[in-house]
């Protein structure tokens, strides 16, 4: 680092903050085009069956209506699956495509698209479309489909199936005196970021399209649209600079994108489609999952067997998969492990990744079972976890690239005051309320993906760093600017970060918490390359004071390149640019994860989560008094945005433990609480103190030592709360969320 | 949402005429409920008659020593009015237990009375619902009914009235002032909302074109021994699963008069005079409170998901009466229940 006060590692305020709070940040539904048309999607009111007739007469006569598309009159679309599989996040199966035919696959599926001259007229006309259906009885509860469960025949790309069994878990369990086996269930959830799913397609003429789509990676909608509609990639640009939260729901292209582009092409006009809040329940979701965990241990608390079986919901047409059970083979050290993962098909939309997909659900069950085991053993739950601490990843039999979970347990326990816990359930009380302490471990894979980035210095002294990744609210803009500022010793105000545009260097979707490590390292590499270029230019000056210097011997700061040993000898960035004969000098950086390293080491982030709850037993009311989350996630680039990620994850974990649940009517197959009034996420009153600790952890999986932490915050949080509820009340609720009725 | 036209009324008479003349017209006050329902296509008024500029925004003292609250007084202003806080703290507390600060700023007294049920099916035009479409059926009875009624429901409808404020008004024995095409009249609060019976489409006893002009509170009572206890699925900003308004007047050591009303359990704020009478003359005690609860719930009936509400209501009644008797009302900002 060349500047005296590096930004990296510090709590640097968000560089995009002022734009966001002043409303100047432009989201997908806020781009305008001349003569733009507005679309509204009409949802199916049944969950399974066939459209017999759609009546458009009233809608057609409504003011401002330009066109109404249905499966009967839509333009031709490819019948093969292949073009629709040009989606980086596609899962095995036949991807959904709107208006394909008369079949209804899930409730809320778009059966018509109304296009009108204003948003209001489009919605009005959409409300006048009626349809008759041939209704079949839907299945929407995974428990009702249990008998049809199957192991996914084709694994999803990037999602490892459970490892083969090691040892003999079943026999060990049978022969054990200390053992338990329980069923756990987490309610289905929907992401519900603040920003609605939306697409604005700008018809540029000559077959060129600029698309603004709510997405976690502009490349994905671009590839998908080009292949589905046979468009020339040179003529399609996707620009989505800001995303109002996504949590995984905007990884895959959704029907708003398909329909808006379909309409724009058909009408040769710009079109915007914004889904309604209710329609946010007609796409990806965190799938309902039935889990069984069996554990056995010796009298000292050493685990002798772990079995974990999950049956997870998916749609009729795709095998959505997430790693639910694998965690149980690597978080603790155990010689006998058996993991099984199955799917069951329901008449629902395909589930999708939702913050720490799989881990949130699976680690909850494992950590609840571990807590039960601790009480069975009359052992401190934290002690039990330390006793079974894994020094290597048992699934892959590899050492960890780094694992400071022990430090996280220690520092978290200290900050929380875990030692003040009295061991017996129901033994702590304050006023009318029972008090409970709970702990859980969190774990998430530290992933990386190939990313390219660009760094450019211009004559006005400004640096631009750019990468086609997305900032879904996590702080990507800020960390990229920090890295650039440090590389050139610039104040961060003189650095512009750019993301969310297919004209920028290639990046995949932003997911799996890999963006900070991948885009961050790519920008770092681009800056290093740019430094070389700039120094080369400076050396080329007549009588250059840096004539023989190489990059190791110079410092980039204060607008100039100086010899580190003799700072008087320097060349300003401006003079170097002049020498290069250019107003702007740019360089690229290509980052790819180190495959050899990954062969040798397993990389994970870890956390220790401690929760204190207060329970009014008589009335079943639970309050989360405080949470301490101690996280080991490698190098922390920005303490402020990193902390915010953990806070958000913890709040979502509290929601999973106590509030969130999408409720289907089993006979109608519809989600009945598809609005934010009745789908409860934690309100301010539900959240008190959340204390975040980042423990020091040095990791070598990538040059910057970054692991990413968008997801680790939620993993373990729900289990810590649920375990605290048990400690308070002696009641083990194995179905989340823990609502009043379950505690009465 | 559908397109609509908009009129701003300048007098009560004009507002009434506008609604009487146009069968598609509806009054709009704060809009916090009506606009939501329009977005869901549940309400499809062709015309909105905006009543927010009518001179109904005052709280006036009545000759009888009570207060007359104009129908347009915002929920927040009412909750924080000095006289209400001092003389009718139960009402203030109940209002503050509801919705959010932003909603209470926009919501009006009249609108709060006339807000519609939060039944999931009522809100979803893709499903049948007798209240929305008479005769189409009631899927809630065998479906998702966690938030539904345990008292006074009918085969046709098991919806609840969602208001918190109205539970306190029922307990306090308020009177509703209305004006319509046929002139003015007053309605005792317990007769304002109705049970669903075979006509669940009717939430209340207003006739078409009638406008609520004011809510009148009788002379202040129960200033010391009262509480509003609300139980819900998160600690704020959720409708009541069960709520209890309890008010007691002590006569020496014994209960002189008691008021007990429940929210979230029926198609109307549920006041039970038999339970109130059972408390009269008794020393405040858990057994007396439990007996009152048993009376309130003597005919309670669950429908599956909401079975727990019967037990929850029983416990909440006892707890609330205890709070009231002790003179330690629930403070809404305090999330631990005393
Ligand atoms: C997310 C959310 C959460 C909420 N939570 C709660 C809660 O916890 N507790 C609670 O009690 N409430 C809650 N509410 C409801 C809120 O209190 C009501 O929406 C509000 O009181 C309605 O008042 P308004 O003035 O906005 O009515 P409007 O929406 O304007 O009108 C509602 C109805 O009343 C009619 N109307 C209005 N004024 C008059 C009048 N003077 N005469 C005749 N008819 C009239 C209208 O025609 C319409 O049919 C919540 C609302 C929302 C949106
Ligand atoms: S309970 Fe009432 S409002 Fe709900 S579906 Fe039945 S009839 Fe409709």
């Amino acid at each position: 680092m060349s500047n005296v006060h590096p930004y990296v590692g510090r709590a640097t305020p968000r560089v995009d903050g002022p734009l966001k709070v002043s409303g100047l940040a432009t989201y997908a539904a806020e781009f305008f085009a001349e003569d733009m048309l507005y679309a509204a999607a009409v949802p199916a009111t049944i969950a399974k069956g066939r459209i017999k007739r759609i009546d458009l007469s009233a809608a057609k006569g409504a003011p401002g209506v330009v066109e109404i598309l249905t499966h009967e009159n839509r333009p031709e679309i490819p019948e093969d699956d292949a073009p629709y599989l040009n989606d980086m996040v596609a899962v095995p199966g036949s991807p959904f495509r709107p208006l394909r035919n008369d079949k209804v696959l899930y409730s809320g599926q778009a059966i018509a698209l109304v296009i009108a001259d204003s948003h209001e007229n489009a919605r009005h006309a959409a409300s006048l479309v009626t349809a008759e259906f041939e209704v079949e009885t839907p299945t929407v509860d995974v428990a009702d489909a249990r008998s049809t469960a199957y192991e996914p025949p084709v694994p999803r790309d990037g999602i490892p199936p459970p490892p083969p069994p090691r040892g003999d878990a079943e026999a060990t369990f049978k022969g054990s005196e200390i053992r338990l086996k329980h069923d756990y269930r987490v309610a289905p959830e929907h992401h519900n970021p603040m920003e609605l799913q939306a697409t604005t397609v700008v018809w540029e003429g000559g077959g060129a399209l600029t698309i603004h789509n709510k997405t976690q990676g502009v490349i994905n909608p671009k590839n998908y649209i080009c292949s589905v509609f046979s468009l020339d990639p040179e003529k399609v640009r996707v620009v989505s600079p800001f995303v109002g939260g996504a949590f995984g729901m905007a990884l895959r292209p959704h029907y708003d994108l398909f329909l808006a582009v379909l309409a724009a092409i058909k009408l040769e006009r710009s079109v915007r489609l914004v889904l309604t809040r209710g329609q946010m329940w007609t796409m990806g979701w965190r799938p309902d999952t039935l889990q069984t965990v069996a554990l056995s241990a010796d009298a000292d608390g050493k685990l002798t067997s772990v079995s974990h079986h999950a049956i997870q919901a998916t749609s009729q047409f795709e095998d959505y998969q997430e790693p639910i059970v694998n965690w149980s083979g690597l978080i603790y050290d155990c010689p006998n492990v058996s993991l099984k993962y199955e799917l069951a098909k329901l008449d629902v939309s395909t589930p999708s990744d939702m913050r720490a997909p799989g881990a949130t659900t699976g680690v909850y069950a494992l950590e609840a079972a571990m807590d039960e085991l601790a009480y069975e053993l009359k052992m401190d739950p934290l002690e039990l976890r330390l006793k079974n601490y894994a020094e290597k990843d048992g699934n892959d039999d590899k050492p960890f690239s780094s694992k400071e979970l022990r430090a996280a347990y220690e520092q978290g326990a200290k900050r929380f005051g875990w030692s003040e816990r009295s061991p017996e359930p129901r033994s702590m009380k304050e006023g009318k309320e029972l008090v409970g302490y709970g702990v859980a471990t969190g774990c998430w894979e530290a992933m990386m993906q190939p990313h390219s980035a660009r760094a450019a210095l211009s004559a006005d002294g400004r640096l631009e760093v750019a990468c086609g990744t997305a900032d879904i609210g996590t702080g990507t803009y800020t960390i990229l600017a920090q890295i650039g500022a440090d590389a050139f010793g610039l104040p961060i105000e003189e650095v512009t970060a750019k993301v969310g545009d297919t004209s920028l260097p290639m990046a995949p979707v932003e997911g799996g918490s890999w963006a900070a490590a991948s885009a961050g390292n790519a920008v770092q590499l681009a800056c290093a390359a740019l430094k070389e270029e700039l120094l080369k230019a400076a050396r080329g000056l007549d009588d250059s004071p840096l004539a023989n210097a190489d990059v190791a011997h110079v410092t980039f700061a204060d607008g100039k390149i100086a010899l580190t040993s003799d700072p008087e000898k320097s060349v300003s960035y401006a003079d170097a640019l002049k020498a290069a004969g250019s107003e702007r000098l740019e360089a690229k950086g290509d980052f790819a994860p180190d495959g050899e390293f990954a062969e040798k080491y397993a990389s994970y982030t870890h956390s220790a989560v401690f929760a204190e709850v207060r329970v009014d037993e008589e009335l079943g009311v639970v309050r989360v008094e405080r949470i301490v989350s101690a996280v080991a996630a490698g190098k922390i680039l920005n303490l402020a945005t990193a902390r915010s990620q953990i806070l958000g994850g913890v709040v979502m974990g509290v929601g999973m433990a106590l509030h969130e649940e999408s409720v289907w009517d089993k006979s109608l197959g519809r989600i009945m609480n598809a609005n934010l009034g009745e789908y409860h996420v934690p309100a301010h009153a539900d959240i008190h103190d959340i204390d975040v600790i980042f423990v020091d952890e040095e990791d070598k999986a990538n040059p910057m030592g970054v692991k990413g932490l968008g997801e680790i915050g939620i993993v373990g949080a729900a289990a810590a709360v649920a375990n605290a509820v048990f400690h308070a009340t002696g009641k083990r609720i194995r179905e989340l969320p823990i609502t009043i009725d379950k505690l009465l | 949402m559908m397109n609509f036209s908009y009129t701003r009324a300048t007098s009560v008479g004009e507002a009434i005429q506008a609604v009487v003349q146009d069968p598609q017209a509806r009054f709009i006050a704060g809009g916090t409920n009506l606009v939501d329902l329009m977005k869901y296509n549940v309400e499809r008024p062709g015309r909105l008659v905006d009543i927010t500029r009518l001179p109904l925004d005052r709280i006036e003292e009545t000759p009888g020593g009570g207060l007359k609250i104009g129908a347009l007084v915002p929920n927040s202003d009412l909750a924080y009015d000095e006289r209400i806080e001092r003389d009718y703290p139960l009402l203030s507390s109940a209002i503050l237990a509801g919705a959010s600060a932003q909603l209470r700023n926009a919501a009006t007294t009249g609108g709060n009375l006339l807000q519609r049920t939060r039944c999931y099916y009522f809100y979803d035009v893709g499903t049948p619902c007798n209240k929305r479409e008479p005769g189409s059926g009631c899927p809630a009875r065998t479906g998702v009914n966690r938030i539904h009624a345990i008292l006074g429901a009918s085969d046709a409808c098991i919806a609840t009235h969602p208001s918190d404020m109205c539970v306190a008004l029922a307990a306090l024995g308020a009177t509703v002032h209305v004006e319509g095409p046929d002139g003015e009249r007053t309605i005792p609060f317990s007769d304002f909302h109705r049970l669903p019976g075979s006509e669940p489409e009717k939430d209340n006893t207003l006739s078409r074109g009638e406008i609520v002009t004011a809510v009148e509170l009788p002379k202040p009572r129960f200033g010391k021994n009262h509480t509003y206890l609300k139980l819900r699925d998160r600690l704020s900003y959720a409708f009541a699963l069960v709520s209890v308004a309890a008010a007691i007047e002590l006569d020496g050591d014994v209960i002189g008069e008691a008021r007990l009303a429940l929210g979230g359990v029926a198609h109307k704020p549920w006041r039970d005079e038999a339970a109130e009478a059972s408390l009269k003359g008794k020393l405040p005690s858990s057994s007396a409170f439990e007996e009152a609860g048993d009376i309130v719930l003597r005919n309670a009936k669950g429908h599956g998901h909401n079975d727990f509400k019967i037990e929850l209501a029983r416990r909440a009644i006892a707890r609330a009466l205890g709070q009231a008797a002790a003179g330690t009302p629930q403070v809404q900002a305090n999330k631990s229940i005393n």
Side-chain angles (χ1 to χ4, degrees):
Chain A
M1 287 308 136
S2 45
N3 52 348
V4 193
H5 299 293
Y7 288 97
V8 168
R10 265 200 287 157
T12 306
R14 282 169 192 270
V15 295
D16 51 338
L19 286 180
K20 285 187 171 169
V21 297
S22 62
L24 290 172
T26 316
Y27 295 84
E30 297 177 326
F31 285 89
F32 282 92
E34 243 173 85
D35 268 345
M36 184 163 72
L37 295 172
Y38 298 78
V42 180
T45 53
I46 65 157
K48 186 180 187 184
R50 204 179 64 77
I51 305 165
K52 277 201 293 201
R53 205 172 67 87
I54 300 188
D55 184 353
L56 303 179
S57 51
K60 275 191 174 149
V65 172
V66 173
E67 176 74 84
I68 304 178
L69 299 175
T70 68
H71 67 282
E72 286 167 333
N73 69 356
R74 59 154 170 78
E76 192 110 333
I77 55 170
E79 191 44 44
D80 278 4
D81 286 339
Y84 304 91
L85 286 166
N86 206 342
D87 159 11
M88 284 175 182
V89 199
V91 298
S94 172
F96 175 75
R97 60 213 77 167
L99 311 186
R100 180 187 193 176
N101 51 32
D102 61 354
K103 290 221 168 52
V104 176
L105 301 170
Y106 61 88
S107 178
Q109 172 185 326
I111 55 165
L113 185 75
V114 177
I115 303 129
D117 60 355
S118 73
H119 176 76
E120 291 73 17
N121 280 339
R123 292 249 164 131
H124 170 69
S127 76
L128 301 174
V129 175
T130 55
E132 277 172 44
F133 299 98
E134 206 174 277
V135 189
E136 290 173 55
T137 310
T139 308
V140 289
D141 186 331
V142 70
D144 296 338
R146 191 194 281 272
S147 63
T148 65
Y150 60 97
E151 283 179 87
V154 182
R156 175 182 169 195
D157 195 24
I159 304 296
R166 58 180 190 261
D168 189 340
E170 205 179 322
T172 313
F173 181 82
K174 276 197 190 129
S176 289
E177 270 183 27
I178 301 161
R179 62 180 197 187
L180 53 84
K181 183 176 178 181
H182 292 295
D183 294 337
Y184 302 89
R185 189 168 184 177
V186 179
E189 298 181 328
H190 282 76
H191 310 65
N192 276 299
M194 285 306 291
E195 185 198 10
L196 298 169
Q197 186 58 41
T199 301
T200 303
V201 181
V202 181
W203 182 259
E204 307 277 12
L209 298 179
T210 304
I211 299 173
H212 308 286
N213 168 239
K214 179 194 174 99
T215 177
Q216 288 176 243
V218 283
I219 187 68
N220 211 30
K222 173 169 171 165
N223 289 349
Y224 174 83
I225 282 306
C226 288
S227 86
V228 168
F229 294 102
S230 306
L231 300 175
D232 176 0
E234 293 294 313
K235 291 189 164 173
V236 176
R237 180 175 170 199
V238 179
V239 183
S240 300
F242 295 101
V243 180
F247 310 119
M249 59 106 26
L251 287 166
R252 294 190 71 182
H254 288 299
Y255 65 88
D256 59 305
L257 174 72
F258 176 98
L259 290 173
V261 173
L262 184 75
I265 292 174
K266 156 105 187 157
L267 301 169
E268 303 197 344
R269 295 271 296 270
S270 299
V271 175
R272 177 193 293 165
L273 172 56
V274 187
L275 300 188
T276 63
R277 179 57 67 184
Q279 286 171 334
M280 296 297 276
W281 274 266
T282 59
M283 46 187 77
W285 52 293
R286 193 193 295 286
D288 197 355
T289 304
L290 306 171
Q291 300 186 69
T292 306
V293 179
L295 303 177
S296 64
D298 64 23
D300 297 339
K302 184 75 197 65
L303 281 169
T304 53
S305 78
V306 175
S307 304
H308 191 164
H309 177 201
I311 302 177
Q312 173 223 293
T314 191
S315 65
Q316 294 291 357
F317 46 95
E318 286 178 314
D319 280 355
Y320 168 77
Q321 294 159 57
E322 56 185 38
I324 293 179
V325 296
N326 303 22
W327 313 97
S328 294
L330 70 90
I331 293 184
Y332 299 110
D333 177 48
C334 182
N336 302 295
V337 176
S338 155
L339 308 172
K340 187 170 180 185
Y341 173 64
E342 293 182 296
L343 300 177
K345 288 193 178 298
L346 303 178
D347 299 301
V348 296
S349 61
T350 304
S352 83
D353 299 302
M354 178 168 172
R355 209 172 201 165
T360 307
T361 322
V363 174
Y364 153 69
L366 174 68
E367 287 302 288
M370 283 296 280
D371 201 60
E372 303 207 39
L373 183 63
Y375 285 94
E376 186 88 26
L377 286 157
K378 297 207 182 317
M379 195 170 171
D380 181 317
L382 183 55
E383 238 353 273
L384 177 66
R385 286 166 171 87
L386 285 165
K387 177 96 195 171
N388 292 288
Y389 196 85
E391 298 291 356
K392 61 170 189 164
D393 165 3
N395 286 348
D396 285 344
D397 198 23
K398 283 184 202 168
F400 293 107
S401 62
S402 60
K403 179 176 174 179
E404 296 297 339
L405 175 59
R406 221 183 278 279
Y409 285 138
E410 265 165 39
Q411 292 177 32
K414 188 154 175 249
R415 180 81 58 89
F416 184 80
W418 182 255
S419 59
E420 279 148 47
R421 166 183 176 274
S422 84
E424 280 300 305
R426 308 180 58 80
S427 60
M428 294 169 75
K429 203 167 181 190
E430 200 173 306
K432 283 201 161 63
E433 293 173 320
L434 294 164
V435 178
Y437 286 7
V439 64
T441 308
C443 185
W444 182 248
E445 196 177 351
M447 289 181 265
M448 287 173 279
Q449 294 285 340
H451 277 59
S452 296
R454 181 178 76 207
L457 196 67
S458 44
D460 60 4
R462 290 193 67 86
L463 176 73
E464 181 193 286
V465 291
C467 172
T469 184
D471 184 336
I472 60 171
T474 48
T476 312
Y477 276 112
T478 311
I479 58 160
L480 299 186
Q482 287 175 271
I483 293 167
D486 282 356
F488 286 90
L490 290 169
I492 200 163
E493 294 74 23
E494 285 171 29
V495 183
T496 306
K498 286 189 169 172
V499 304
D501 186 334
T502 48
S503 69
L504 302 178
M506 229 307 274
V509 291
E510 198 273 20
S513 298
W514 61 56
S518 312
N521 276 296
V523 164
Q524 174 102 312
L525 290 172
C527 288
L530 181 58
K531 283 172 159 182
E532 292 277 4
E533 292 289 315
L534 202 62
L535 178 59
K536 198 159 87 191
R539 275 198 305 249
L541 277 172
D542 293 344
D543 297 327
S544 172
L546 304 176
N548 297 312
D550 79 30
V551 83
H553 302 128
V554 296
T555 302
F556 288 75
D558 303 322
K560 51 188 193 255
I561 314 172
L563 260 186
T564 311
S565 57
D566 181 4
E568 291 297 296
K569 292 192 173 154
S570 69
V571 173
S572 73
Y573 295 167
D575 286 344
L577 277 175
K578 251 184 243 155
S582 160
E583 283 287 291
R584 176 183 154 108
L585 203 56
E586 56 173 66
K588 252 188 101 186
D590 295 307
F591 170 78
D594 178 344
E596 258 175 58
F597 189 91
E599 281 293 308
K600 279 193 242 147
Y601 297 98
S603 282
Y604 288 89
T605 54
H606 293 90
S607 68
V609 196
F610 298 83
E612 176 185 333
V613 302
R614 307 285 172 110
V615 182
D616 189 306
E617 197 182 20
E618 190 181 45
L619 300 173
V621 176
V622 180
R623 298 188 301 120
V624 178
E625 185 70 12
R626 60 203 176 92
I627 290 193
V628 174
S629 178
V631 179
K635 166 108 184 146
I636 304 305
L637 293 169
N638 182 332
L639 281 171
T641 52
R643 180 172 172 274
S644 292
Q645 282 305 301
I646 303 303
L647 292 181
V650 167
V651 170
M652 241 169 159
V654 171
M656 171 175 263
L658 302 180
H659 309 113
E660 290 191 51
E661 177 168 20
S662 293
V663 186
W664 267 263
D665 177 294
K666 292 224 264 174
S667 50
L668 298 169
R670 284 173 82 73
I671 299 172
M672 295 318 302
N673 61 338
N675 61 71
L676 289 178
E678 297 298 338
Y679 179 94
H680 299 126
V681 297
H684 281 96
D686 297 293
I687 302 298
H688 291 258
D689 290 347
I690 303 176
D691 209 338
V692 180
I693 300 171
F694 291 111
V695 305
D696 289 338
E697 187 176 72
E698 256 186 62
D699 194 81
K700 298 208 160 47
N702 60 65
M704 298 189 76
V706 175
K707 280 183 170 177
L709 34 68
E711 288 162 290
I712 185 66
I714 188 175
V715 189
V721 172
N723 293 345
V725 169
F726 175 79
H727 181 236
T729 63
K731 282 191 190 137
R732 183 66 68 176
I733 310 297
R734 300 191 182 90
E735 285 196 18
L736 302 184
I738 302 173
T739 42
I740 286 182
D741 46 317
K742 294 178 186 159
L743 279 177
L744 279 190
Chain B
M1 191 186 254
M2 68 180 269
N3 292 336
F4 56 88
S5 58
Y6 170 90
T7 320
R8 181 181 286 162
T10 54
S11 72
V12 171
E14 194 190 308
I16 294 169
Q17 276 316 306
V19 166
V20 168
Q21 277 160 16
D22 181 352
Q24 300 298 318
R26 299 294 299 270
F27 299 126
I28 182 163
T32 60
N33 189 220
L34 183 56
V35 175
D36 260 11
L37 289 166
M38 288 166 67
K39 287 187 185 165
Y40 285 91
N41 293 309
V42 175
E43 301 263 20
R44 297 177 66 80
R47 171 180 303 275
L48 290 183
V49 180
D50 181 351
I51 59 171
T52 54
R53 306 298 163 97
L54 301 185
L56 301 173
D57 58 351
R58 293 238 184 74
I59 304 176
E60 286 160 359
E61 273 125 65
T62 62
L67 287 178
K68 196 169 163 190
I69 305 157
L72 292 169
V73 174
N75 289 178
S76 311
D77 291 17
L78 183 58
Y80 293 119
D81 183 272
E82 259 180 30
R83 293 160 293 181
I84 299 290
E85 282 184 316
R86 187 187 60 224
D87 298 333
Y88 305 91
L90 173 61
L91 176 59
S92 177
S93 180
I95 295 170
L96 295 178
S100 65
Q102 295 90 331
L103 282 159
R104 294 192 298 264
N105 287 341
T108 64
T109 306
N112 195 311
L113 264 57
L114 286 145
Q115 64 175 300
R116 310 210 63 191
T117 183
R118 310 303 289 202
C119 169
Y120 315 111
Y121 300 88
F122 176 71
Y123 259 77
D124 180 356
V125 292
T127 67
C129 165
N130 285 331
K131 185 181 275 299
R132 184 167 26 77
E133 237 180 279
S136 61
C138 173
R141 287 186 60 219
T142 51
V144 184
N145 53 38
R146 175 177 178 75
I147 58 174
H148 288 72
I150 51 171
L151 289 165
S154 70
D155 284 349
C157 177
I158 60 169
T160 61
H161 191 263
S163 169
D164 291 300
M165 183 181 93
C166 291
V167 182
L169 291 174
L172 293 171
T175 307
V176 185
H177 289 250
V178 308
E179 195 173 328
D182 302 328
E184 298 179 30
R185 63 182 181 119
T186 56
I187 310 171
F189 205 82
S190 21
D191 295 338
F192 184 79
H193 298 100
R194 56 186 295 285
L195 291 179
S198 57
E199 290 179 308
E201 66 278 16
K202 292 186 185 156
D203 292 351
N204 53 54
T205 51
L206 283 187
S207 320
R208 170 113 200 124
E210 276 188 319
I211 188 170
V212 173
T213 54
V215 173
E216 186 178 333
L217 296 172
K219 216 163 65 186
R221 289 175 71 182
F222 312 109
K224 201 163 155 280
N225 294 95
H226 63 87
T227 196
Y228 188 73
L229 179 59
K230 178 176 179 181
L231 298 162
R232 50 191 142 179
D233 277 329
R234 61 183 162 195
L235 296 174
S236 169
Y237 201 26
F239 290 93
L241 291 166
V242 168
S243 70
V244 182
I248 289 174
E249 230 168 38
L250 288 172
D251 185 359
D253 285 345
V254 300
I255 297 171
E257 183 162 346
R259 296 283 172 85
L260 192 55
L262 270 65
V265 296
H267 200 255
K268 60 188 285 190
W270 190 264
R271 189 169 156 197
D272 191 318
E273 294 186 16
E276 291 172 358
S278 82
L279 289 162
K280 207 171 175 140
K282 292 217 177 101
L283 281 171
S285 69
S286 1
S287 61
F289 301 156
E290 278 160 24
E291 191 193 326
D294 287 342
I295 296 174
V296 173
L297 297 161
R298 61 197 179 278
N299 293 320
K301 185 172 173 301
H303 300 90
H305 296 153
N306 71 348
D307 291 348
F308 74 96
K309 279 182 159 192
I310 301 173
E311 184 56 28
L312 183 63
R314 199 183 305 281
R315 296 181 188 189
I317 291 169
R319 189 73 157 264
L321 285 168
Q323 290 181 334
T328 53
Q330 184 64 38
V331 176
Q332 297 307 335
N334 185 356
K335 298 301 168 187
S336 88
I337 299 164
N338 52 272

